[in-house]
Amino acid sequence: MKKKYYSAAFALILSLALVLTGCGSSGSSSNSDANKTLVFGRGADTTSLDPAVVTDGESFRISQNIFETLVSYDYKNQSTKIKPGLAESWKISDDGKTYTFTLRKGVKFSDGSAFNADAVVYNFDRWMNGKASGKFAYFPSMFGGYKGDNSLIIDRVKAQNATTVVFNLKRPSAPFLQNLAMSPFAISSPKAIKKYGDKYGQSAGVGTGPYVFKSWKKNNTITLTKNKNYWQKGLPKLDSIIFKVIPDNSARLNALKNGEIDLMDGLNPSDIDGIKGNKDFHVYYRPPMNVAYLGFNVTKKPFDNKKVRQALNMAVDKEALNKAFYNGQAEPAKNPMPPVLLGFAKDLKDYPYDLKAAKKLLAEAGYPNGFTTTLYTMSNPRDYMPQPAKTAEAIQATFGKIGVKVKIENVEWSSYIEKLQKGGAPMYLMGWIGDNGDPDNFLYTLLDKDSVGTNNLSFYKNDELHKIFTQAQSETDNAKRAALYVKAQEIIHEDAPWVPLEYAKAALVGKSTISGFAPSPTGTEPLSDVTVK
């Protein structure tokens, strides 16, 4: 790709114009020394700037750069290993039920208010008391419930002094630190929450992070600018970031080639080989920690019948999906969590692709001639599912061979999540990118009865499974935890609330002038260390 040279005056005007318009349509401003701007192309828009009320990666991609958590992951090394964040250190009591965090001094929110122990308590009280609104979906999924629920593992959060905050738990929680590092538990400015009220998240997002929210043009661009008072010296290295929505993967790649964006996710697997040989671009791979799946709402007929769900498990050709839509780069899935996690049930045998056996099971379930249903899918690509519409069509075709007639409904991303959480889809395509590297974040978060209506979109409940998850959360011996999760996967396999589809190897691509970028295994993109020439 040829470099473009401009006079210093023209370069300055161009870069200022780009920031003011919040748009990279006439070419990226990252070539300007006056204002280093990165334009990130993505497939869908954010649903809210408040990380506590969302569950989707497109929202966390933004909040990751505005907000911070008490503890963090080792993003530089693409790891979920825990490291200090807003808390510079912590102590855990011998019984595993008391966590005492020492907070960093002198940190401020981007609105100028002080970050301190009271701010931490305010945020956790806000989430714990969210049962009436139900809008803090992640909180009960990771901590067992809201205040007043017996299942809530947090008993109390208190400020010991301005720089010390203490968490008292009802029982030990093995994944507690991993959970605290997750994007939905980033600390917001209490002042901003009070100021904006119900509009917080649509009008503002105020944290302590490296970037500050500037503007949002719905379904188009979100612009962040450098937090000039950021507590980590020398960071961030960019002056601004523009997140630009381009729904189609191929159109996004063309925008990259044309210089309209600098970096993009959702690279089609079939396009990878053609990009690798181009010195102007670099292909990045996200560490594999995801699963794509076909889910059933087990409260709706005929999916309330286990044999129907098992039959449909045998009517999905996962190898064909891998070849057609992942360029053979994925791994057909058999469990609801990826092989890289503790306790993966490697010896569990998957349902075979066997249409004859599937049809026989349907007949046993009382549906010898099949049935008619609707399959819902998101309209935009995801890391775990590059071509959701075509994936739905392929499943529609194979289900038709056993008499199951499927109507496909494509829904825009932000509306899609809401529809699934309300139980509006009898059958749906979805996936999950792990948040914290712990099996609890897949199995308990997605399939426990505590998570129904939030992240458990199949509305699947199993009391025996719930007991296993609770025991695994309190177990600190990894070998014993692993055995419990294997047992849990055996139960889930038998009940079949899902058809696990693929473990995807997600690729991103950016200009070769980018440095410091390392895709996170959690699907968010911390960009404070990124710079462009």
Side-chain angles (χ1 to χ4, degrees):
M1 181 178 290
K2 294 181 180 179
K3 292 183 178 179
K4 297 180 181 179
Y5 294 90
Y6 305 93
S7 69
F10 183 71
L12 178 60
I13 293 169
L14 179 66
S15 63
L16 286 173
L18 182 58
V19 173
L20 289 172
T21 58
C23 167
S25 59
S26 61
S28 165
S29 65
S30 61
N31 292 325
S32 168
D33 290 330
N35 182 11
K36 290 186 177 180
T37 297
L38 178 82
V39 184
F40 189 108
R42 57 187 183 144
D45 201 7
T46 291
T47 57
S48 175
L49 299 170
D50 181 357
V53 304
V54 296
T55 61
D56 64 293
E58 294 299 354
S59 295
F60 291 138
R61 178 171 280 151
I62 304 299
S63 66
Q64 179 69 53
N65 292 285
I66 298 175
F67 300 90
E68 293 173 304
T69 46
L70 291 178
V71 293
S72 182
Y73 304 121
D74 186 6
Y75 290 114
K76 284 187 179 180
N77 294 304
Q78 297 180 287
S79 167
T80 54
K81 182 180 179 181
I82 293 296
K83 56 180 285 188
L86 287 173
E88 60 185 12
S89 63
W90 56 90
K91 294 180 180 179
I92 307 172
S93 63
D94 292 340
D95 64 2
K97 294 197 292 185
T98 302
Y99 287 70
T100 303
F101 294 90
T102 300
L103 308 180
R104 296 185 187 277
K105 297 177 181 178
V107 175
K108 290 185 179 296
F109 292 102
S110 60
D111 61 3
S113 59
F115 164 76
N116 52 33
D118 286 337
V120 175
V121 172
Y122 180 90
N123 277 264
F124 274 87
D125 280 349
R126 178 186 181 223
W127 306 329
M128 286 193 292
N129 287 290
K131 190 170 187 175
S133 66
K135 65 182 181 180
F136 304 119
Y138 249 118
F139 188 85
S141 291
M142 305 315 301
F143 298 112
Y146 295 105
K147 188 167 285 187
D149 294 338
N150 292 330
S151 54
L152 175 63
I153 66 167
I154 299 175
D155 184 37
R156 185 171 63 160
V157 184
K158 63 178 180 179
Q160 189 167 294
N161 54 51
T163 58
T164 308
V165 64
V166 180
F167 287 75
N168 296 118
L169 308 186
K170 296 176 183 177
R171 54 183 172 83
S173 173
F176 187 67
L177 287 176
Q178 298 292 135
N179 292 347
L180 286 184
M182 289 168 52
S183 292
F185 310 121
I187 307 301
S188 281
S189 160
K191 177 182 176 181
I193 294 171
K194 294 171 186 175
K195 176 181 177 180
Y196 291 98
D198 291 340
K199 294 181 180 180
Y200 183 71
Q202 294 302 315
S203 302
V206 181
T208 61
Y211 294 96
V212 178
F213 169 69
K214 180 183 179 183
S215 64
W216 185 358
K217 296 180 180 180
K218 294 294 178 75
N219 296 311
N220 188 359
T221 59
I222 288 181
T223 301
L224 309 182
T225 57
K226 174 186 285 191
N227 182 353
K228 295 179 180 179
N229 298 312
Y230 186 48
W231 60 271
Q232 291 199 59
K233 292 188 177 180
L235 297 178
K237 295 179 180 179
L238 292 167
D239 291 301
S240 58
I241 309 169
I242 299 170
F243 293 90
K244 184 172 181 63
V245 176
I246 306 174
D248 182 72
N249 284 358
S250 297
R252 206 176 315 121
L253 180 58
N254 286 334
L256 178 69
K257 291 178 177 178
N258 293 335
E260 298 170 31
I261 61 176
D262 302 300
L263 180 63
M264 60 166 275
D265 70 342
L267 179 64
N268 282 330
S270 57
D271 291 327
I272 293 175
D273 290 340
I275 289 291
K276 277 185 174 179
N278 191 324
K279 62 180 176 57
D280 292 320
F281 301 106
H282 181 77
V283 176
Y284 303 87
Y285 289 98
R286 193 181 303 287
M289 195 169 69
N290 65 66
V291 63
Y293 66 92
L294 169 67
F296 310 114
N297 186 326
V298 300
T299 67
K300 295 181 180 293
K301 290 186 178 299
F303 304 111
D304 58 342
N305 188 315
K306 182 171 71 174
K307 286 188 176 182
V308 169
R309 303 193 299 266
Q310 291 175 335
L312 296 182
N313 264 269
M314 291 190 285
V316 176
D317 189 345
K318 299 176 186 180
E319 290 289 353
L321 293 179
N322 182 19
K323 291 176 183 177
F325 309 124
Y326 297 84
N327 201 34
Q329 298 294 309
E331 178 183 347
K334 64 179 181 179
N335 294 322
M337 70 181 201
V340 295
L341 297 187
L342 173 76
F344 179 79
K346 58 184 176 61
D347 296 327
L348 192 65
K349 293 191 180 302
D350 196 10
Y351 289 95
Y353 176 56
D354 188 335
L355 296 179
K356 185 176 180 180
K359 195 162 180 59
K360 182 182 178 183
L361 258 184
L362 278 183
E364 291 177 10
Y367 299 92
N369 300 315
F371 55 87
T372 300
T373 189
T374 302
L375 170 59
Y376 284 79
T377 183
M378 71 287 280
S379 59
N380 59 286
R382 307 295 298 152
D383 275 358
Y384 46 74
M385 196 172 292
Q387 300 181 65
K390 290 184 178 180
T391 300
E393 290 169 3
I395 292 171
Q396 178 190 49
T398 55
F399 281 9
K401 294 177 181 179
I402 61 171
V404 177
K405 298 176 183 178
V406 175
K407 177 186 176 184
I408 297 173
E409 290 281 352
N410 289 281
V411 183
E412 186 271 329
W413 179 245
S414 59
S415 301
Y416 188 62
I417 299 295
E418 183 179 2
K419 186 172 189 66
L420 297 188
Q421 288 177 335
K422 290 181 177 179
M427 188 166 64
Y428 61 94
L429 285 177
M430 197 54 182
W432 189 256
I433 301 172
D435 294 294
N436 62 20
D438 195 275
D440 183 77
N441 179 241
F442 277 81
L443 300 183
Y444 172 79
T445 300
L446 301 177
L447 290 162
D448 188 71
K449 65 180 185 179
D450 286 346
S451 304
V452 165
T454 56
N455 292 312
N456 181 347
L457 305 173
S458 287
F459 290 73
Y460 166 66
K461 298 178 182 180
N462 184 300
D463 289 337
E464 182 184 1
L465 198 63
H466 179 73
K467 290 177 182 177
I468 292 172
F469 289 153
T470 302
Q471 187 178 347
Q473 288 169 348
S474 301
E475 180 57 68
T476 56
D477 184 300
N478 275 345
K480 293 179 180 178
R481 281 192 87 205
L484 288 166
Y485 287 124
V486 168
K487 186 176 180 181
Q489 287 163 87
E490 291 170 349
I491 294 171
I492 294 165
H493 177 80
E494 171 66 20
D495 284 350
W498 290 3
V499 180
L501 297 176
E502 307 288 340
Y503 306 121
K505 185 179 180 181
L508 302 87
V509 61
K511 292 180 179 177
S512 56
T513 52
I514 294 171
S515 62
F517 177 65
S520 163
T522 66
T524 56
E525 315 298 351
L527 298 172
S528 62
D529 280 292
V530 174
T531 189
V532 290
K533 294 179 183 178

